[in-house]
Amino acid sequence: MALKELTLKDWWFVMRREILSGLTLGLILGVIGFIRIAIWQQLHLYNYGIHWFLLAITIFLFADRGS
């Protein structure tokens, strides 16, 4: 904006791209977390307990909200 490359009209375009980028990255992190928990549980690398699937779903849904 300082260099006049973006105008106020471009705000929605930039915002949409940022939201889509954030959702995509969050989805990728969630999938990685879910797969990690599932694989580690099945290979007995770590015992997440009897509710490991619920934990994996929780990580999938809320992976990008941690910080």
Side-chain angles (χ1 to χ4, degrees), residues 3-61:
L3 298 175
K4 307 281 188 213
E5 293 176 351
L6 291 174
T7 64
L8 201 53
K9 293 179 183 179
D10 296 326
W11 186 82
W12 280 111
F13 175 73
V14 172
M15 195 60 167
R16 185 181 64 183
R17 285 186 53 169
E18 290 292 324
I19 290 171
L20 289 176
S21 298
L23 290 173
T24 302
L25 290 173
L27 179 68
I28 291 169
L29 284 174
V31 168
I32 289 171
F34 181 89
I35 290 172
R36 178 190 177 268
I37 289 173
I39 289 174
W40 282 32
Q41 179 71 22
Q42 298 304 316
L43 295 177
H44 304 290
L45 295 175
Y46 190 84
N47 185 11
Y48 291 99
I50 60 172
H51 300 295
W52 69 269
F53 186 74
L54 294 175
L55 177 64
I57 292 291
T58 302
I59 295 299
F60 173 74
L61 293 175

